[in-house]
Amino acid sequence: MDLQKRYVEIEGVKTHYIEAGSGPVLILIHGGGSGADAWGNWRGCLEAYAQHFRVIAVDMPGFGESDRPDPKDFDYGQTMRNRHMAGFVETIGAGKAVNLIGNSMGGATALGIAIERPELVRKLVLMGAAGLDVSNPDPAAKKALGSYDYTPEGMRKLVSFLAGSRFEISDEMVAYRHELTMRPGARAAMGAIHNRLKEDPMTYPRERISSVSCPTLVVGGKEDQVAVLARTYGYLDLIPNSWGFILPHAGHWVMIEAPEAFVAVTTAFLNGPGFEA
C-alpha cells in the first residue's frame, strides 16, 4: 500500500492526514478519547479501503500530528470542530460531495457536517457516534472516560473500557496511545475539549438530526458502553435514509476490533444504491 503523509492548513491549523488509493473520496474521522488519532483508529482498514477509494484519515486539531493550538487562542468546542472539518472536506473534495465515516467524537463531527453542509456529504457512516443526547444507563461510563491519569496503566484501563470483552489489548497499542498523550500541548488540548462540553456539547437537537437527508449507515458494537444501543437505534429512528449494522462482541471500536467486517459492510454500503426517499 502506497501510504502518503500530508498536511494542509485549515482554519489556521496545520492539519495532518494519511492518504492511500484512488477513486471516490472517503474521509475517516477518528474519535476523541485520550491517545486517539487517525493512524491508531484506522490503520487496520486503510489497505482494504484503498482498493475502492481515495481514502483519507485525518487528525483533528489537538490530536496526532495535527497542530495542538494553545486553548487561550483556540476554541476546542464542537462548533469549531465542525467548521474545521467542513473546511477540510471542502478542500480535499475540491467542493464535491465525499463519503464520510466518523467514530465517537468524529461521528458527531461528521454528523455536524451533514447537518450544516449537506452539499459536502455523499454518504455518511456513524460508528459509535456522539451527537444524539441519549442517557447512558451506566453512570460509571462517563466517569471512566474522564479518569485517564496519563500513565501507561491508566491508558490500558481506558482501552479496556472502550473495547469489547473479546478484544486483546496489545502492549503496542497502549504504548502508542500513551505516547501521543505525552506530546507537548496534548494534555492542555484534551482538557480544553472536556471543558467546552458544557457550553458547546457534542450533541444536536433531534429535529436537526432528522434533517439529514444523505444515505446513512449507523454501526454499533453490541457491547459499546459509551455509544449505547439506544443511541444507535435513536439515529435509525430519526434519520430517514438510514440503515443499521450491529456487531456482536464488539465495543466502541468496531473498526479496530473487527476491521474486516467493518470494511466489508461499509464498502458495500458506500458502493451500493442509496434507496433515498
Side-chain angles (χ1 to χ4, degrees):
M1 175 176 56
D2 184 18
L3 205 65
Q4 303 293 323
K5 288 172 60 71
R6 304 186 189 280
Y7 294 87
V8 62
E9 185 168 312
I10 304 292
E11 292 282 339
V13 177
K14 185 179 179 182
T15 304
H16 168 256
Y17 63 98
I18 305 164
E19 178 175 350
S22 61
V25 176
L26 169 60
I27 296 177
L28 312 175
I29 311 176
H30 63 80
S34 297
D37 75 338
W39 177 247
N41 266 202
W42 304 109
R43 59 181 168 180
C45 303
L46 291 173
E47 184 172 1
Y49 277 140
Q51 306 305 311
H52 303 274
F53 306 101
R54 178 190 172 201
V55 58
I56 292 165
V58 56
D59 285 331
M60 288 189 284
F63 294 89
E65 302 293 334
S66 287
D67 280 349
R68 293 178 287 278
D70 190 320
K72 290 184 291 187
D73 306 315
F74 185 80
D75 181 1
Y76 279 95
Q78 188 60 43
T79 301
M80 171 56 84
R81 268 191 298 279
N82 291 352
R83 190 163 72 240
H84 170 271
M85 196 53 58
F88 180 82
V89 169
E90 198 164 22
T91 299
I92 295 298
K96 296 181 180 179
V98 306
N99 299 305
L100 287 182
I101 300 180
N103 167 240
S104 198
M105 186 171 83
T109 305
L111 178 62
I113 297 170
I115 292 171
E116 298 163 7
R117 299 290 306 278
E119 75 279 6
L120 296 179
V121 186
R122 176 181 172 270
K123 289 188 178 182
L124 174 67
V125 179
L126 302 175
M127 209 303 289
L132 176 59
D133 186 10
V134 172
S135 297
N136 195 311
D138 182 3
K142 186 175 181 180
K143 182 178 179 181
L145 285 175
S147 65
Y148 175 56
D149 62 1
Y150 291 84
T151 67
E153 295 77 16
M155 179 57 71
R156 185 175 293 276
K157 182 179 179 181
L158 176 63
V159 171
S160 66
F161 171 78
L162 293 170
S165 58
R166 294 190 179 185
F167 184 69
E168 295 185 9
I169 303 169
S170 69
D171 293 341
E172 177 193 8
M173 170 181 275
V174 171
Y176 179 82
R177 291 180 64 97
H178 176 256
E179 189 277 328
L180 285 173
T181 68
M182 293 293 101
R183 294 188 180 185
R187 190 165 185 168
M190 184 58 65
I193 289 170
H194 286 293
N195 289 338
R196 289 291 287 132
L197 288 175
K198 293 180 181 178
E199 296 179 359
D200 192 7
M202 288 186 283
T203 56
Y204 308 99
R206 281 163 168 75
E207 60 270 20
R208 298 204 72 197
I209 296 173
S210 296
S211 74
V212 173
S213 58
C214 64
T216 301
L217 176 65
V218 186
V219 180
K222 193 175 284 189
E223 297 182 8
D224 195 335
Q225 300 178 72
V226 182
V228 293
L229 289 179
R231 189 187 297 170
T232 299
Y233 296 138
Y235 282 130
L236 293 174
D237 183 52
L238 290 169
I239 300 174
N241 298 312
S242 62
W243 291 253
F245 177 71
I246 308 297
L247 196 77
H249 316 299
H252 196 49
W253 289 336
V254 174
M255 73 290 191
I256 295 174
E257 299 173 64
E260 291 183 0
F262 183 74
V263 170
V265 169
T266 53
T267 298
F269 166 74
L270 295 172
N271 283 339
F275 295 110
E276 295 93 335

